[in-house]
Amino acid sequence: MGNKAVVVGGGIGGLATAIGLRRIGWEVTVLERARVLDDAGAGISLHANGIRALDALGVGATVRAAARPQYTGATRTPRGRCLARMDGRALERALGTPIVGIPRAVLHRLLRDALPPESLVAGAEAVSVDRSVPEQPRVRLESAELDADLVVGADGVNSRLRAQLFPDHPGPAYSGSTVLRAITEGPLAMDSDFELTWGRGAEFGHIAFADGRAEWHAVLNAPEGARFPDPLAEVRRRCGGWHAPIPALLAVTRPEAVLHHDIKELVVPVPAYAVGRVVLLGDAAHAMTPNLGQGACQAMEDAAVLTAALATESTVEAALARYDTERRPRSQAVARAARQAGRMGQQLSHPAAVTLRNAAMRLAPSGVTIRAILRHADWTPPVLR
């Protein structure tokens, strides 16, 4: 088995994979098309399965130290009425860790710091992969080529590598929702670590960080490509009259800090996660809606499983076949569950349907929320030696 890998994409999944491959003795080059690593993004919640995957890769403790546990949280109506509570300490008792919140920029930096600087090449966009020599795929850049024993496609929801491997696949589809999000300018006092608020066709959520700042996001039903002259003003119009601390979060946000992206997903599952010695992971393999908070966690699982397979199987092909067998059913099931959660949560807009859902949530036993989280977060990673 050769030991030279090229990872296309320097996001969370790509960096986690590079860390794992280096841990088992592979030489790794990570190609990131962005020329400046400004770590654009807001915040992220990591469930136990994501943290466990990072533990297996050797960086879990570092990430935990920089994150804030989410012990208190709830889902509410715009007027503040509680629909369901999230008990982070119960999750910690069940799984060994609560959900944690961390700025994406901090997580990216910590993952990069676990790699030698020379392994990450910024401003390098992979154009295609030449598989004419099956045992040595060649990554073609605009002005160079790289030979490898393994190519990892971690190039996101609009993956070029996925499109090349499966030219008949329809690619990502618009979910019907768009998201505006930002990190507050400074710290502010909040009564909970994490909250979601569901209106009609709209969701507002926040994540508190260890430094006292917070990430907030507003997910709105909207036509694909819709944009607003003043995104922060639009969020104020839609959600500014909702319960505390929503007005306070918006008040300490700079207008230029607001990011706006349409949410896309792979509604049609990819038929395989590996072709020859080219493998897909993260959003390139199973882009999903954010309604379960599992997108990045599934990418971390991918990295841990791929690393373990390559460490124990006798050939790259056997390792990728094992990875595909283990990861495709689980990640695609999580993607379906996330889609369904969005339809019954943020995307629900008919008044009668919203009223019925809210009543059902208030009447549900207190353990329902915990069991729903455990369904996807209770995952045990392979052991890396």
Side-chain angles (χ1 to χ4, degrees), residues 206-378:
H206 79 255
I207 302 169
F209 295 145
D211 63 4
R213 296 181 302 156
E215 181 263 9
W216 61 259
H217 68 264
V219 186
L220 311 173
N221 291 355
E224 183 176 6
R227 291 296 180 267
F228 310 109
D230 186 337
L232 183 57
E234 179 65 19
V235 178
R236 285 198 176 105
R237 185 184 74 81
R238 295 287 297 269
C239 308
W242 292 8
H243 65 85
I246 295 172
L249 288 163
L250 299 178
V252 292
T253 300
R254 293 181 293 110
E256 60 271 23
V258 180
L259 305 172
H260 185 182
H261 299 98
D262 286 345
I263 298 172
K264 295 184 178 182
E265 58 172 328
L266 291 181
V267 176
V268 178
V270 175
Y273 286 180
V275 177
R277 291 194 173 199
V278 181
V279 62
L280 301 175
L281 60 76
D283 283 351
H286 45 68
M288 61 189 69
T289 63
N291 303 95
L292 295 178
Q294 278 289 333
C297 292
Q298 291 300 306
M300 295 170 188
E301 286 189 19
D302 291 346
V305 171
L306 178 61
T307 299
L310 288 165
T312 55
E313 297 296 335
S314 59
T315 67
V316 171
E317 290 80 5
L320 299 192
R322 171 177 151 187
Y323 166 81
D324 181 70
T325 298
E326 292 186 21
R327 291 302 305 148
R328 191 152 47 94
R330 171 168 165 80
S331 59
Q332 291 178 351
V334 173
R336 290 192 298 271
R339 186 180 311 122
Q340 183 63 26
R343 289 172 178 171
M344 297 303 296
Q346 171 266 317
Q347 290 188 325
L348 208 61
S349 60
H350 192 282
V354 169
T355 299
L356 183 62
R357 177 204 62 200
N358 291 356
M361 290 184 68
R362 287 194 302 269
L363 294 172
S366 59
V368 168
T369 301
I370 294 296
R371 289 195 295 273
I373 294 173
L374 290 175
R375 188 175 300 124
H376 306 297
D378 191 7

Side-chain angles (χ1 to χ4, degrees), residues 3-29:
N3 66 348
K4 184 177 181 180
V6 173
V7 177
V8 180
I12 293 170
L15 293 172
T17 302
I19 292 168
L21 293 181
R22 282 188 53 82
R23 183 173 178 179
I24 62 172
W26 282 62
E27 177 186 345
V28 185
T29 300

Side-chain angles (χ1 to χ4, degrees), residues 67-288:
R68 173 169 167 167
Q70 294 177 3
Y71 287 124
T72 58
T75 301
R76 301 185 181 275
T77 69
R79 293 185 178 181
R81 185 174 186 180
C82 184
L83 299 175
R85 295 193 183 278
M86 190 276 291
D87 186 345
R89 295 195 182 278
L91 283 173
E92 187 173 40
R93 289 192 296 271
L95 299 172
T97 179
I99 303 170
V100 300
I102 188 170
R104 280 184 178 268
V106 173
L107 179 58
H108 284 194
R109 175 176 55 79
L110 294 175
L111 296 178
R112 284 202 307 271
D113 287 350
L115 296 169
E118 64 272 14
S119 67
L120 180 61
V121 182
E125 184 167 4
V127 176
S128 64
V129 175
D130 181 354
R131 295 184 292 115
S132 58
V133 180
E135 293 78 17
Q136 194 167 59
R138 176 173 295 175
V139 180
R140 289 177 173 168
L141 290 76
E142 291 182 352
S143 58
E145 294 184 345
L146 294 176
D147 289 333
D149 302 296
L150 171 69
V151 175
V152 180
D155 51 342
V157 61
N158 295 310
S159 170
R160 280 189 174 182
L161 267 63
R162 182 188 62 237
Q164 182 182 351
L165 294 179
F166 305 107
D168 295 329
H169 189 273
Y174 180 53
S175 68
S177 299
T178 194
V179 59
L180 298 94
R181 54 194 172 188
I183 293 178
T184 59
E185 177 70 4
L188 70 163
M190 290 179 292
D191 295 331
S192 63
D193 301 315
F194 168 83
E195 278 191 352
L196 291 178
T197 301
W198 283 343
R200 291 171 52 188
E203 170 187 294
F204 190 98
H206 79 255
I207 302 169
F209 295 145
D211 63 4
R213 296 181 302 156
E215 181 263 9
W216 61 259
H217 68 264
V219 186
L220 311 173
N221 291 355
E224 183 176 6
R227 291 296 180 267
F228 310 109
D230 186 337
L232 183 57
E234 179 65 19
V235 178
R236 285 198 176 105
R237 185 184 74 81
R238 295 287 297 269
C239 308
W242 292 8
H243 65 85
I246 295 172
L249 288 163
L250 299 178
V252 292
T253 300
R254 293 181 293 110
E256 60 271 23
V258 180
L259 305 172
H260 185 182
H261 299 98
D262 286 345
I263 298 172
K264 295 184 178 182
E265 58 172 328
L266 291 181
V267 176
V268 178
V270 175
Y273 286 180
V275 177
R277 291 194 173 199
V278 181
V279 62
L280 301 175
L281 60 76
D283 283 351
H286 45 68
M288 61 189 69

